[in-house]
Structures are given as structure tokens and as C-alpha cells.
């Protein structure tokens, strides 16, 4: 990657505004500009302080324009100045969840019967994932409710029993006239169930525009989102146990 950079600073303002033009040695087939992230510049000789700034790449000219704003303090831009690697002090503790050692964890799957041609394969995917990661059958419960709208309340009730380390919420919302109302209510409800119970309630409810998209995500060419939700449940259950066991952790 070869880059030519130009930076202008407005001293009267507390933020530093910069505009960077970068030439990329890459080939592009699409004539339409594509938004990319400044994370693409990790390998460049320039140090950029904002990884969330927007960029527009015009493939035809191979010119990338970046615009970013951030506090002037600590912002460096210049040839030969490279972004330092992230190094964590021994004093700082990092917590991560694990997908191993799940044999003693307990899970419950709350699934909606509505669109069961989709939800049944999703539940099967979740159970298969639990089995693959050594979760015992006797540590898994499956609860069926009428539809996605009923999932959040059931999930919260089950989470508050203290019997489970995580709840997997599975459903499928079709493209009907009340699609937005059900999808939004289900999403916010599952989040509220997590926050109110302190137990991870994993969102595995498909919100698809058509049946083809749903089939693709229920074991089709996009994978099985039920299995992905189960894997997330294992990791989150492990993470919260890890944090709880560390008395130095602050939530």
C-alpha cells in the first residue's frame, strides 16, 4: 500500500480535522464506491488515532478518501511513525469466556412454535452444538411457546429460577404486516430478560424478509443460527462464571 497524506489543522478548534488521500495497489471490479474502515490502514506507515472514522474507496481511480475528527492530543500522522502493538500490563486482568469445559453448565432453549418449519431445525442446531461441546443432555431443557412474542417473558421467568447458566431464545418472524412490531418487541424483550435476571439470554430469533432467507439460516447455505446461539450461550455462561469467581472484577 502506498500512501500520500496531507493534514490541515484548525488551531481555533479543540479537534483536529484531517483529510487523507491514499492510493491502494489493489484491483477492484465494482464501479460503485464502497465504504471501508480505517482498520484497513493498520499496515500503513501512518498512525491514525481513530479506527472508527469513515472512508470511501473509489475502485476506478484506486483513490481512498478518509475524513476523521478527534482530539488533537496524541494524534500523530507522519512517515515512519507506526501504530504500536497493544500490550496489556500484568496488573490488568482480561476476562474472556470459553467454549470448553461446558459439561457442568445448564441451559434452557425457549423456542416459538410459529414458523416451526424453521424453528425446529434451529432448535436441532442448538442441541447439536451443546452435544458437540460436551453439555450433558440432562442439563438441557427445551420450552416451546406459541411464538416469538411470548419468548422474552418465558426466558426471563426461567432465568430468574437460578437453574440455568444461560437461556437460548429461538424463533422466526415472517414478513407480515406486524413484522416490525413483533421483531422489535422480541429483540428488546430478550435484552430486558438478560438485564433483569443477570443471566445471558441469547437472541436466536430470525427476522427474515422471506422464507428463502429463513431456510438459509436454519441449516442452509448460511449455516444454522440456532447452533450459533448455543455457542454464544456457552461462551457467555463461562464468562460470567469467570467474572463472578474473580473478586477483583467490577461490573
Amino acid at each position: 500500500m502506498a500512501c500520500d497524506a496531507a493534514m490541515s489543522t484548525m488551531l481555533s478548534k479543540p479537534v483536529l480535522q484531517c483529510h487523507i488521500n491514499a492510493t491502494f495497489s489493489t484491483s477492484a471490479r465494482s464501479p460503485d464506491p464502497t465504504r471501508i474502515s480505517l482498520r484497513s490502514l493498520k499496515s500503513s506507515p501512518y498512525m491514525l488515532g481513530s479506527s472508527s472514522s469513515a472512508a470511501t474507496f473509489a475502485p476506478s481511480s484506486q483513490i481512498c478518501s478518509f475524513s476523521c475528527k478527534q482530539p488533537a492530543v496524541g494524534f500523530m500522522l507522519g512517515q515512519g511513525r507506526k501504530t504500536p502493538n497493544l500490550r496489556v500490563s500484568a496488573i490488568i486482568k482480561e476476562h474472556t469466556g470459553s467454549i470448553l469445559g461446558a459439561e457442568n453448565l445448564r441451559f434452557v432453549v425457549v423456542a416459538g412454535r410459529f414458523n416451526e418449519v424453521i424453528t425446529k431445525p434451529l432448535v436441532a442446531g442448538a442441541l447439536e452444538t451443546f452435544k458437540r461441546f460436551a453439555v450433558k443432555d440432562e442439563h438441557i431443557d427445551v420450552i416451546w411457546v406459541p411464538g416469538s412474542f411470548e419468548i422474552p417473558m418465558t426466558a426471563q421467568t426461567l432465568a430468574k429460577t437460578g437453574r440455568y447458566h444461560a437461556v437460548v431464545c429461538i424463533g422466526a418472524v415472517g414478513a407480515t404486516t406486524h413484522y416490525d412490531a413483533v421483531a422489535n418487541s422480541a429483540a428488546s424483550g430478550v435484552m430486558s430478560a438478560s438485564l433483569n435476571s443477570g443471566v445471558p439470554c441469547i437472541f436466536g430469533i430470525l427476522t427474515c424478509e422471506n422464507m428463502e432467507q429463513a431456510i438459509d439460516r436454519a441449516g442452509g447455505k448460511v449455516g444454522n443460527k440456532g447452533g450459533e446461539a448455543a455457542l454464544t450461550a456457552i461462551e457467555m455462561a463461562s464468562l460470567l462464571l469467570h467474572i463472578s469467581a474473580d473478586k477483583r472484577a467490577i461490573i
Side-chain angles (χ1 to χ4, degrees):
M1 180 187 297
C3 295
D4 294 322
M7 179 175 67
S8 61
T9 307
M10 298 178 65
L11 298 177
S12 60
K13 293 184 178 182
V15 296
L16 179 66
Q17 295 182 331
C18 66
H19 183 78
I20 307 164
N21 286 328
T23 303
F24 288 79
S25 57
T26 181
S27 60
R29 299 177 181 178
S30 173
D32 298 326
T34 304
R35 293 185 66 80
I36 64 175
S37 167
L38 284 183
R39 293 186 179 90
S40 303
L41 289 182
K42 283 184 178 179
S43 59
S44 83
Y46 299 98
M47 177 175 175
L48 300 175
S50 174
S51 63
S52 60
S53 300
T56 302
F57 177 41
S60 57
S61 62
Q62 293 187 330
I63 297 297
C64 191
S65 295
F66 297 88
S67 297
C68 60
K69 288 183 179 181
Q70 78 159 51
V73 178
F75 185 92
M76 293 187 299
L77 180 65
Q79 189 71 28
R81 294 177 180 174
K82 296 184 177 180
T83 305
N85 294 328
L86 175 63
R87 295 183 179 179
V88 180
S89 167
I91 301 176
I92 299 173
K93 287 194 174 183
E94 291 185 285
H95 296 271
T96 58
S98 173
I99 57 175
L100 303 177
E103 58 273 5
N104 293 321
L105 299 179
R106 296 187 61 92
F107 301 95
V108 59
V109 177
V110 181
R113 286 195 307 271
F114 188 76
N115 285 327
E116 65 179 6
V117 68
I118 298 298
T119 58
K120 282 186 175 180
L122 291 173
V123 171
L127 297 179
E128 181 182 352
T129 298
F130 282 140
K131 183 177 181 179
R132 191 185 320 134
F133 288 91
V135 179
K136 299 176 183 177
D137 289 345
E138 58 267 29
H139 289 173
I140 305 170
D141 293 327
V142 178
I143 308 295
W144 290 93
V145 297
S148 296
F149 199 82
E150 291 74 35
I151 289 176
M153 181 180 180
T154 309
Q156 179 172 301
T157 302
L158 291 167
K160 284 186 173 183
T161 63
R163 292 199 299 264
Y164 305 103
H165 293 94
V167 181
V168 178
C169 302
I170 288 178
V173 182
T176 60
T177 54
H178 65 296
Y179 170 86
D180 288 336
V182 175
N184 292 336
S185 297
S188 60
V190 170
M191 175 60 73
S192 296
S194 291
L195 297 176
N196 293 336
S197 65
V199 174
C201 295
I202 311 303
F203 189 79
I205 300 174
L206 298 185
T207 54
C208 301
E209 297 177 354
N210 51 57
M211 182 61 73
E212 182 181 359
Q213 290 182 356
I215 293 173
D216 287 343
R217 288 157 178 78
K221 59 185 179 182
V222 184
N224 192 305
K225 298 303 178 180
E228 292 180 16
L231 195 62
T232 302
I234 294 173
E235 182 176 349
M236 285 300 298
S238 170
L239 175 62
L240 292 189
L241 284 175
H242 182 57
I243 292 176
S244 299
D246 188 346
K247 296 181 180 180
R248 228 201 67 173
I250 300 177
I251 305 301

